[in-house]
């Protein structure tokens, strides 16, 4: 993979790619490694996927990858969802189905959407929580451990459906919550930070100039008011994959201080 800068700080690994395509190829490679390891160790691979625009091209490419993807042992969950019917164009499930699920051979029982046919978003979030408790066989107080959580970052620093200056960021016990904000068109359901931070691997996919400012705030200023900066899993590999446009405001000294960890 050419034109890639790769750096490591603790368990945080930052990779900057010349193009979105290269970033997607790298993410697919990581997915292969993580899923194969999970299946070898535990017999299945549990991944939680985000919506938004950024991952669509990656999902397309992943769906066409022929090698090393154990779909029959892969369990796909959603990181977050809009409280809309599945066929609504705002639905994350619909996006993921159109770009990935519809083109791969995965058993339907391995797809764990967030139920939105309930009366309220709160009931949906509770139902999703109970799916998680059943699937991961959790005892009271335990958090699920996803093998991989794929996240995006909004221009305001939100990730999943966790937004700046909201009480949801303080959540410690719940696995999934409902989110209602005036500035959002739809109410939403989201995994919580304790769940995200309990994963074995977290990958942020970030693309575009409009993300450059927020990326700088998260990676260089560690602005804790930004939800994405609160993704600090203790034992996970935390990957920030971004294209050059998203990385364009990162300071030169920061790049110079980088440690190259892998040949590209
Ligand atoms: C969603 C998300 C959300 C998303 C960011 C980035 O459902 O919208 O899960 O957190 O990842 O808003 O979105 P873009 O990729 O569209 O910029």
């Amino acid at each position: 993979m050419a034109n890639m800068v790769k750096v490591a700080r603790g368990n945080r690994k930052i990779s900057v790619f010349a193009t979105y395509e290269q970033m997607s190829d790298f993410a697919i490679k990581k997915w292969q490694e993580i899923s194969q390891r999970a299946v070898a160790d535990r017999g299945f691979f549990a991944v939680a996927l985000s919506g938004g625009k950024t991952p669509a091209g990656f999902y397309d490419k992943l769906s066409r990858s022929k090698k090393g993807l154990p779909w029959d042992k892969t369990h796909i969950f959603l990181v977050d969802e809009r409280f809309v019917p599945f066929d609504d164009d705002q639905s994350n499930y619909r996006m993921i189905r159109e770009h990935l699920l519809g083109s791969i051979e995965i058993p339907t029982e391995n797809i764990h959407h967030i139920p939105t046919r309930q009366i309220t978003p709160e009931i949906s979030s509770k139902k999703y929580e109970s799916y998680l408790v059943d699937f991961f066989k959790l005892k009271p107080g335990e958090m699920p451990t996803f093998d991989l959580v794929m996240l995006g970052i909004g221009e305001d620093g939100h990730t999943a459906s966790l937004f700046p200056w909201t009480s949801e960021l303080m959540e410690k016990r719940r696995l999934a919550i409902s989110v209602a904000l005036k500035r959002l068109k739809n109410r939403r359901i989201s995994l919580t930070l304790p769940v995200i931070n309990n994963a074995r691997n977290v990958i942020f996919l970030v693309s575009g100039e409009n993300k450059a400012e927020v990326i700088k705030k998260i990676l260089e200023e560690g602005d804790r008011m930004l939800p994405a900066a609160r993704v600090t899993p203790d034992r996970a590999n935390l990957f920030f994959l971004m294209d050059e446009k998203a990385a364009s405001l990162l300071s030169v000294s920061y790049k110079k201080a980088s440690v190259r960890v892998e040949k590209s």
Side-chain angles (χ1 to χ4, degrees):
M1 231 170 275
N3 300 328
M4 182 178 87
V5 177
K6 203 165 180 197
V7 304
R9 293 258 169 107
N11 62 351
R12 188 172 89 175
K13 300 180 177 70
I14 301 164
S15 303
V16 181
F17 300 87
T19 64
Y20 178 92
E21 285 300 306
Q22 288 179 2
M23 178 174 80
S24 300
D25 289 341
F26 184 83
I28 291 173
K29 204 174 101 199
K30 282 289 149 209
W31 180 301
Q32 285 167 338
E33 284 168 17
I34 296 165
S35 61
Q36 287 171 11
R37 161 63 66 91
V39 171
D41 289 353
R42 286 171 298 281
F44 68 92
F45 166 56
V47 57
L49 299 182
S50 286
K53 294 191 183 64
T54 310
F58 160 69
Y59 295 152
D60 282 332
K61 217 165 188 194
L62 183 69
S63 75
R64 294 192 300 268
S65 298
K66 295 280 174 263
K67 288 184 303 182
L69 296 167
W71 290 124
D72 56 331
K73 299 202 166 52
T74 297
H75 286 264
I76 294 185
F77 293 78
L78 267 72
V79 166
D80 64 336
E81 183 59 285
R82 277 100 175 158
F83 191 67
V84 295
F86 291 152
D87 54 359
D88 191 290
D89 58 10
Q90 291 292 306
S91 161
N92 281 348
Y93 174 70
R94 175 177 168 166
M95 187 284 263
I96 294 168
R97 190 187 61 209
E98 288 176 354
H99 291 274
L100 177 67
L101 305 175
S103 328
I104 57 174
E105 284 185 27
I106 185 166
T108 43
E109 62 272 21
N110 291 15
I111 297 168
H112 310 268
H113 56 257
I114 298 180
T116 53
R117 288 202 194 98
Q118 313 306 319
I119 308 158
T120 67
E122 188 54 19
I123 293 176
S124 281
S125 69
K126 294 228 162 94
K127 209 158 179 186
Y128 193 46
E129 264 185 328
S130 71
Y131 286 171
L132 294 170
V133 168
D134 289 350
F135 180 85
F136 288 97
K137 302 184 177 57
L138 302 178
K139 298 197 188 79
E142 283 182 347
M143 289 289 152
T145 303
F146 282 102
D147 296 301
L148 173 61
V149 174
M150 302 265 338
L151 296 172
I153 300 178
E155 284 175 48
D156 62 353
H158 81 260
T159 191
S161 284
L162 303 169
F163 290 83
W165 303 104
T166 59
S167 58
E168 283 83 19
L169 298 180
M170 306 316 290
E171 182 57 54
K172 299 270 184 301
R173 282 181 316 109
R174 300 278 309 268
L175 313 185
I177 43 160
S178 62
V179 178
L181 285 179
K182 278 206 184 112
R183 61 180 185 272
L184 294 179
K185 193 168 148 208
N186 305 110
R187 290 172 297 173
R188 301 197 185 185
I189 293 110
S190 180
L191 291 180
T192 58
L193 279 171
V195 172
I196 294 171
N197 280 331
N198 200 44
R200 291 191 177 87
N201 298 275
V202 175
I203 297 181
F204 279 102
L205 277 189
V206 196
S207 166
E209 225 166 325
N210 59 330
K211 302 291 171 69
E213 215 161 292
V214 76
I215 276 292
K216 186 179 169 67
K217 283 189 189 148
I218 293 165
L219 295 181
E220 294 190 344
E221 295 161 23
D223 185 342
R224 295 276 300 165
M225 288 307 131
L226 303 178
R230 292 179 184 235
V231 175
T232 50
D234 290 339
R235 59 198 180 120
N237 295 306
L238 174 59
F239 298 95
F240 281 86
L241 309 187
M242 66 194 86
D243 60 16
E244 282 179 352
K245 289 182 179 155
S248 59
L249 292 180
L250 293 181
S251 68
V252 174
S253 61
Y254 179 83
K255 282 186 182 163
K256 274 193 185 147
S258 303
V259 185
R260 214 176 166 85
V261 286
E262 226 177 76
K263 282 211 177 104
S264 52

